[in-house]
Amino acid sequence: MENKGIKLINEDGKRIDGRLYNELRPIKMEVGVLEKSDGSAYVEQGKTKIFAAVFGPKELHPRHLALPDRAVINCRYHMASFSVEERKQLGMTRREIELSKVIRHALETAVFLEKFPRAGIDVFIEVIQADGGTRVAGLNAASLALADAGIYMRDLVVGCAVGKVDGRIVLDLCDIEDKYGEADMPIAFSPRLNSILLLQLNGKLSIEEFNEAIKLAKEGCMKIYELMKETLKKKYSYIIMEEE
Ligand code: ADP
């Protein structure tokens, strides 16, 4: 969060990777990419690459953790050791435990947990390559994997980061912008519930900047939301065609 003289936006308003302040990185999405899970997805946002896999709803073990009126989501966000330049330490770090928890909270609001009493739903998020925005891209992958598993949801949760770089509010920060910018604010949003389901802020923003950032993040989320719906439609419309 400390800019040590690195210029992140040039005179033409272009960012370090050539984007304008309101541009997302190129996005690739696919569902049903893993055979062994009930639902899966792959999401690429710029150089950030993530797989998500969902198992369940199924009987929860150990049984005493089961809830009589709803399902329990177990969520694990994990970064592969080779996903960052300096090999990440093995095992779950404090950061990964925290991110697993905030992602789980966002997903819990969206899933109809009450439809699956006593059940467990496992959500695994594996960051294969990290270049900023991994928690939000991970959330997008998890949301797609849950839908791919056929789990009833109120809406797809969609995440996008926004932040402040060289004094400007910008969308979808890459790693360098995250590290040397003034603020990074990942957000998860449900368009149908019109509700923000995750909001974290690292750095400082004025009230005006905060409001501008929320507006920009929601616009980014809406673009990603459309791509997510397209991705799901593509897979399932293909299956319908195959059966005809
Ligand atoms: P997010 O990935 O959700 O933006 P952070 O703000 O914590 O989460 O991390 C920003 C970026 O910093 C990550 O996407 C990744 O590129 C890099 N990063 C995170 N953890 C590590 C680590 N242990 N070693 C090296 N780089 C890391």
Side-chain angles (χ1 to χ4, degrees):
M1 283 298 146
E2 204 185 322
N3 191 340
K4 299 189 179 100
I6 297 172
K7 206 163 165 43
L8 295 170
I9 300 188
N10 71 15
E11 295 72 25
D12 301 331
K14 293 266 178 75
R15 293 155 67 181
I16 199 112
D17 53 10
R19 284 181 293 154
L20 293 172
Y21 78 99
N22 61 350
E23 269 184 81
L24 292 166
R25 293 174 289 179
I27 299 180
K28 273 191 208 161
M29 288 175 177
E30 207 179 331
V31 287
V33 289
L34 304 170
E35 260 183 33
K36 317 272 173 186
S37 55
D38 295 315
S40 60
Y42 173 70
V43 169
E44 228 177 85
Q45 292 189 217
K47 290 187 222 154
T48 289
K49 300 181 179 189
I50 299 183
F51 279 100
V54 165
F55 292 86
K58 57 185 175 56
E59 195 172 309
L60 185 73
H61 291 286
R63 283 219 191 129
H64 70 268
L65 294 178
L67 298 174
D69 57 342
R70 62 191 161 97
V72 170
I73 295 184
N74 291 309
C75 178
R76 193 184 86 139
Y77 160 101
H78 179 252
M79 273 172 63
S81 301
F82 53 80
S83 65
V84 286
E85 247 160 74
E86 292 235 338
R87 182 173 163 273
K88 200 216 84 190
Q89 72 178 72
L90 292 174
M92 289 288 277
T93 60
R94 277 179 56 183
R95 175 180 170 276
E96 288 168 309
I97 294 167
E98 177 207 321
L99 297 196
S100 301
K101 188 168 182 285
V102 293
I103 292 171
R104 172 169 59 81
H105 276 298
L107 295 173
E108 276 171 350
T109 311
V111 174
F112 280 106
L113 296 174
E114 61 277 17
K115 293 227 184 261
F116 314 105
R118 311 201 69 80
I121 300 170
D122 292 335
V123 178
F124 295 97
I125 297 166
E126 283 294 321
V127 180
I128 302 304
Q129 189 165 280
D131 189 50
T134 59
R135 80 196 66 191
V136 283
L139 193 50
N140 295 338
S143 222
L144 284 171
L146 282 164
D148 186 46
I151 292 175
Y152 300 125
M153 292 164 85
R154 293 178 176 85
D155 195 9
L156 290 166
V157 184
V158 48
C160 189
V162 69
K164 185 175 166 186
V165 164
D166 280 359
R168 287 211 61 176
I169 299 300
V170 298
L171 187 65
D172 189 19
L173 283 71
C174 63
D175 189 31
I176 294 179
E177 292 178 319
D178 182 309
K179 289 215 166 70
Y180 299 107
E182 295 97 274
D184 169 39
M185 187 164 78
I187 281 178
F189 180 59
S190 157
R192 196 180 285 169
L193 302 176
N194 192 23
S195 184
I196 288 178
L197 305 178
L198 178 156
L199 192 155
Q200 295 181 291
L201 171 61
N202 188 10
K204 279 188 193 160
L205 294 176
S206 68
I207 297 284
E208 293 73 29
E209 287 168 341
F210 177 80
N211 289 333
E212 189 186 336
I214 294 278
K215 186 169 172 283
L216 191 60
K218 281 189 180 172
E219 285 168 13
C221 282
M222 288 313 295
K223 287 182 191 153
I224 299 173
Y225 187 62
E226 291 308 316
L227 284 174
M228 288 167 81
K229 288 195 291 185
E230 278 306 308
T231 303
L232 287 164
K233 270 191 217 154
K234 217 192 292 170
K235 179 183 172 196
Y236 290 102
S237 54
Y238 174 67
I239 290 171
I240 291 163
M241 278 160 55
E242 229 179 21
E243 281 171 357
E244 275 170 359

